[in-house]
Amino acid sequence: MPTNRGYHIRMTKMPFSVSRPSIARLLGTLAAGSMIATPLLAQVAPPPVMVPTTPPQAQPPAAQPQAVPPATVQPLPQAAPAVAIPPLSEAQARQLATLIAQGEVAQGLRQGPPRDLSTLSPAALTRVALDYAHAVHVGRLDAADFTKDWGIRPQPYDPAPGFAEAVRHDRLSAWIASLPPPYAGYDALVKGLARYRAMAAAGGWSSLPAATINFGASGPQVLALRKRLAMEDPAVSATGERFDEDLLAAVRRAQRRYGLNPVGTVGTQTIAVLNVPVAQRIRQIMANMERWRWLPQQLEAKRVQVNIAAAVLTVFDGDNPVMSMKAVTGRPGNETPMLVSTIRSIVLNPPWNVPSSIANKELWPKERANPGYLKRAGFRVIDNGDGSKRLQQSSEKSALGRYKFDFPNDFAVYLHDTPAQSGFSKFDRLASHGCVRLEKPADLASLMLKTTPEWQQPQIDAVIASGKTVRATMAEPVAVYLLYWTAFANADGQVGFREDPYSWDAQLATKIEARSAERAQATKD
């Protein structure tokens, strides 16, 4: 057994039979998955829906991943004494080789056709099976591969006990089927990956010329546009040289799918996203599938999800999205980290304790260039007692607005209100220093304090009107997930894409390829 995987032997029986109900039915319940039918989400990025396709069976309580900077990331525990794995029968070896070879392709672990595993010895095939299980269940990265801002860590997982039971009871097919993340959003990406691979096998698509195409135009350029859109949208007719109403609707669908302003005019931005090669889209889908594997096997019923790349917040109650709003997330260079935490309180009329990085780079220079700026903007200088100073902005003029949603994390980020409402009218909303600004913070506060008797709407309104800074502790804490989704699919496998603003897709793909090469060599050795 390879030691670099850090397999942990836990005498926990794996669930062998996982009934994964129809994705279409589940996503229909959620208004076609992430495509929540609201005017808001007709214009902004639909967040992928994290809905289990079936409740985990016979699973121990899931340990929640923590937001941990690299300096404090602990190595995985050392493996306990190995579990005795029964020898594979010839029939089991043939079945397992086929299941893994097909699964590597379907689950986005391998490009190209399935590899031939039939020549491996039983011992080598067992090593491949354990490595496959770990890769599909919790991902392919080692602890050292996670960057500081990737503050989500997959749960420790040892595939050996489950594999041994599957061999012993001749249930390898059910064991393989139980390994992927139990979420409809992941399943939809599996289907989307197959669609885009089929497009690639058919030759992909040709680049469109860099020339604006307007409604009412006609000619070969319009025909090329139709053919390109029809690759991803089966409702589009691939014939015809006129930019008519049907094509206008198709262009707007594509612009929404790519997070662009759905104006219907095919300009520079639209042509740029349509010209991204199909191979790059496949790689993007695979990177997002990997991030699904980092999530716990069971999510809290009440949770807030933020799609960082799309700058959208959605609140869930069980499987149902109950609120959604635009957000502003971190600009490249001030990235909003991925993390999981819990919101336990809301600060009403919060002052802003300015991080030293922002003060040094932005505010002190403004004061030097324009004396009196800090006072006019509501800042006061506080002596730290060690010769240094810090800045605090009063609640009356605070950049945090009237609401701050606190949750413990190692990145000093939070959700908050903002006086700068103009940012929500943009389609590119990556503009903060790393925190998440909210379009409708008052609505979110009311919803999250709904079950707290002392903090009903009259009490909230009274404190806000008073201007006093008060912390409202919630009776029911709510989990918060800050996630980076740049590809997400509906039940039919039609994928919506966003740009990779932080280059995290590219980084992840590179790290995966490096680890895969290492393990392939280890298997040969």
Side-chain angles (χ1 to χ4, degrees), residues 220-524:
Q221 194 176 7
V222 175
L223 177 59
L225 174 63
R226 282 187 174 277
K227 290 181 178 179
R228 170 62 186 89
L229 293 177
M231 292 288 293
E232 295 180 284
D233 188 346
V236 178
S237 171
T239 60
E241 294 191 352
R242 182 163 181 78
F243 197 146
D244 56 16
E245 291 284 353
D246 288 343
L247 185 58
L248 178 64
V251 167
R252 286 174 171 161
R253 287 197 299 274
Q255 288 169 332
R256 291 188 182 98
R257 204 164 56 246
Y258 285 105
L260 303 178
N261 190 351
V263 295
T265 299
V266 181
T268 303
Q269 277 190 311
T270 301
I271 291 173
V273 298
L274 292 176
N275 284 347
V276 172
V278 66
Q280 186 171 329
R281 293 305 185 194
I282 289 171
R283 191 171 178 175
Q284 193 172 359
I285 292 170
M286 292 168 67
N288 281 266
M289 290 172 69
E290 183 75 4
R291 284 192 286 268
W292 277 105
R293 299 177 184 123
W294 303 348
L295 298 178
Q297 293 291 294
Q298 188 169 8
L299 302 174
E300 297 83 353
K302 293 187 176 181
R303 63 191 185 275
V304 171
Q305 295 174 201
V306 176
N307 182 347
I308 300 166
V312 172
L313 176 145
T314 305
V315 183
F316 283 85
D317 187 353
D319 294 344
N320 301 312
V322 296
M323 180 181 291
S324 187
M325 68 185 68
K326 298 176 186 177
V328 173
T329 51
R331 64 175 70 93
N334 296 114
E335 290 83 359
T336 297
M338 289 184 279
L339 61 84
V340 180
S341 189
T342 304
I343 302 173
R344 302 183 182 277
S345 64
I346 303 169
V347 181
L348 307 179
N349 299 317
W352 181 31
N353 294 303
V354 183
S356 59
S357 59
I358 298 176
N360 294 334
K361 291 179 182 178
E362 300 180 24
L363 299 180
W364 291 116
K366 288 182 179 179
E367 175 66 18
R368 288 192 292 270
N370 189 359
Y373 163 79
L374 292 176
K375 184 176 181 180
R376 290 191 299 272
F379 291 98
R380 66 189 185 103
V381 180
I382 300 175
D383 192 329
N384 290 323
D386 58 1
S388 65
K389 294 179 172 59
R390 64 184 178 92
L391 295 176
Q392 184 184 73
Q393 190 176 36
S394 64
S395 61
E396 292 82 3
K397 296 186 177 182
S398 173
L400 307 186
R402 297 297 179 225
Y403 302 88
K404 175 186 174 184
F405 300 80
D406 264 339
F407 45 89
N409 65 88
D410 294 323
F411 304 91
V413 297
Y414 36 84
L415 314 179
H416 68 86
D417 184 14
T418 175
Q421 292 294 305
S422 61
F424 299 112
S425 64
K426 301 176 182 178
F427 282 82
D428 179 3
R429 296 191 300 280
L430 279 73
S432 79
H433 289 93
C435 289
V436 180
R437 303 173 192 165
L438 303 179
E439 179 189 29
K440 302 175 183 176
D443 292 350
L444 181 61
S446 296
L447 178 63
M448 297 180 75
L449 292 169
K450 187 175 181 180
T451 58
T452 306
E454 64 270 29
W455 285 111
Q456 296 303 292
Q457 199 60 52
Q459 288 79 15
I460 297 173
D461 292 343
V463 170
I464 292 296
S466 74
K468 295 179 180 178
T469 299
V470 177
R471 181 178 294 275
T473 301
M474 296 157 49
E476 294 183 273
V478 176
V480 59
Y481 288 76
L482 305 187
L483 304 168
Y484 188 77
W485 301 124
T486 61
F488 35 88
N490 65 16
D492 297 325
Q494 188 174 58
V495 184
F497 293 99
R498 295 297 176 269
E499 292 186 11
D500 180 17
Y502 300 163
S503 297
W504 286 354
D505 286 349
Q507 291 179 39
L508 179 55
T510 299
K511 290 173 182 289
I512 288 171
E513 287 163 3
R515 287 296 178 189
S516 296
E518 285 181 13
R519 284 157 193 153
Q521 186 60 45
T523 300
K524 292 179 183 178

Side-chain angles (χ1 to χ4, degrees), residues 75-122:
L76 297 176
Q78 294 298 310
V83 168
I85 297 176
L88 294 167
S89 68
E90 290 186 10
Q92 286 178 325
R94 288 194 300 271
Q95 180 191 30
L96 187 60
T98 299
L99 289 170
I100 293 174
Q102 293 174 344
E104 286 177 333
V105 176
Q107 301 298 324
L109 304 183
R110 177 180 173 81
Q111 293 278 27
R115 58 177 174 158
D116 183 6
L117 301 176
S118 62
T119 60
L120 294 181
S121 68

